[in-house]
Amino acid sequence: MLNFDKDRYVKIQSGAVAIAEVLPAMMRELLQGGLERVFFMGTGGVQFLTLPAVELARSATIMPVSAAFPAQVVLEPPAGLNERSLVVLPSLSGTTKESVQLLSFLKARGVKTLSLTGHKDTPLGRDADYNFTNFAEDDTSSESFYLQTLLIVLSLLAERGEFADFKAVAAELKRLPELLVTVKENYETAAAALASEIKDENYHIFTGAGSVWPEAHYYGMCILEEMQWIRTRPVHAADFFHGTLELVEPGVSVFVFKGEDACRPLGDRVENFARRYTDKVRVLDAATASLPGVSDRTRSLISPVILAAMLERLSAHLEILRDHPLTTRRYYKRVEY
């Protein structure tokens, strides 16, 4: 596969699922200490990677679990952000300015913090109450953060008696890193063909629902816009028919992301409509991935992980065909925070 190191990839994703070994005891301690609510607060694209876990909690527990923007929280903190709260702070670098500022803000309020970092010897790696460091880089971080935040929520549910299958799911997820390599291998030819097809296109609509909507938003904004300077319009599939449908016409590119959860029909609806009006409907479907030994229950939880693994292959080919490395930015280092 193009620009892919299997051993590195498996090591990183195995490190991500290893968080399952320490989470039950940590969650038990927090709940016994009076934990009442959980917030996920990531800066930029990493926040998208926490949202499937937040969505899972929304439908599985009455305990408040929500997401918030760090830059906004320090100006207008949400109600209940106090010593009975846990804030999860994901940051690959561990040095993200807005998140470091937020950590200081939270500590002053007595809020408990759990950081997820790629580097331990950093402000977020050192100074949070709890830390899980798993080295990763841009091409491997999506799956890593998806898996870690999923396991955080599942362990919370399990300790509250709202999810009985934590050990079984965690055991299946241990097999996932190797299986995701096969997913990538099976998608390689299609990824190369799709990259060749879209390399000169400058606008795409991205849509999805349920657990895969954050990946649609993430790939459009954080990969194609930030890393390739291609204009995109991410829109939730539930909102597609309340505005964006009027932009669909021959030649308009529509990417439909489909998962294996209860919201799949929303993606089907967009696909069925778009195929009537444009010749450029691109469907990425988590259900096409072969994952032997992974139950339907677990598959329903990991659709964004599967799509992230596939899309990394698209990105690997796209940056070569467009002669635009994914690390090239115009303004990133010039932004004043």
Side-chain angles (χ1 to χ4, degrees), residues 66-281:
S66 60
F69 297 108
Q72 182 167 315
V73 169
V74 298
L75 299 174
E76 187 180 43
L81 187 62
N82 55 33
E83 68 281 356
R84 293 186 177 274
S85 301
L86 172 70
V87 172
V88 181
L89 295 158
S91 170
L92 185 60
S93 69
T95 62
T96 310
K97 292 180 180 179
E98 291 170 341
S99 296
V100 172
Q101 181 185 13
L102 174 65
L103 179 59
S104 296
F105 178 83
L106 296 172
K107 290 175 78 69
R109 296 173 70 100
V111 179
K112 296 177 181 64
T113 54
L114 164 61
S115 62
L116 305 174
T117 58
H119 305 274
K120 177 65 175 178
D121 190 21
T122 59
L124 290 171
R126 291 189 305 264
D127 298 338
D129 296 310
Y130 303 89
N131 169 259
F132 185 77
T133 294
N134 182 48
F135 173 78
E137 293 178 296
D138 284 344
D139 61 329
T140 56
S141 63
S142 292
E143 297 97 311
S144 179
F145 283 120
Y146 276 138
L147 288 167
Q148 290 174 64
T149 53
L150 169 65
L151 284 163
I152 287 170
V153 166
L154 289 179
S155 67
L156 174 67
L157 297 176
E159 292 303 317
R160 284 174 50 85
E162 296 166 323
F163 186 76
D165 301 325
F166 181 79
K167 289 184 178 180
V169 169
E172 290 185 8
L173 292 181
K174 285 185 178 181
R175 307 180 59 184
L176 193 60
E178 290 279 359
L179 293 174
L180 289 175
V181 172
T182 302
V183 170
K184 287 176 175 286
E185 290 172 344
N186 291 343
Y187 188 63
E188 184 75 4
T189 300
L194 181 56
S196 180
E197 185 179 318
I198 69 172
K199 64 183 178 65
D200 297 319
E201 296 181 5
N202 61 11
Y203 173 70
H204 305 277
I205 296 170
F206 278 84
T207 190
S211 65
V212 300
W213 158 238
E215 180 63 18
H217 200 171
Y218 176 87
Y219 196 79
M221 190 180 94
C222 300
I223 306 300
L224 293 192
E225 290 185 352
E226 179 183 343
M227 299 182 181
Q228 289 294 296
W229 307 346
I230 294 172
R231 293 172 176 83
T232 71
R233 168 65 166 106
V235 57
H236 194 287
D239 285 335
F240 189 90
F241 294 95
H242 300 278
T244 306
L245 80 166
E246 295 294 342
L247 300 178
V248 178
E249 60 185 9
V252 172
S253 174
V254 179
F255 275 81
V256 182
F257 288 10
K258 299 170 75 171
E260 297 183 79
D261 57 17
C263 295
R264 183 181 178 90
L266 296 177
D268 292 336
R269 183 184 179 209
V270 173
E271 179 187 2
N272 293 337
F273 171 85
R275 289 197 183 281
R276 294 165 57 191
Y277 299 105
T278 179
D279 54 328
K280 294 183 178 179
V281 179

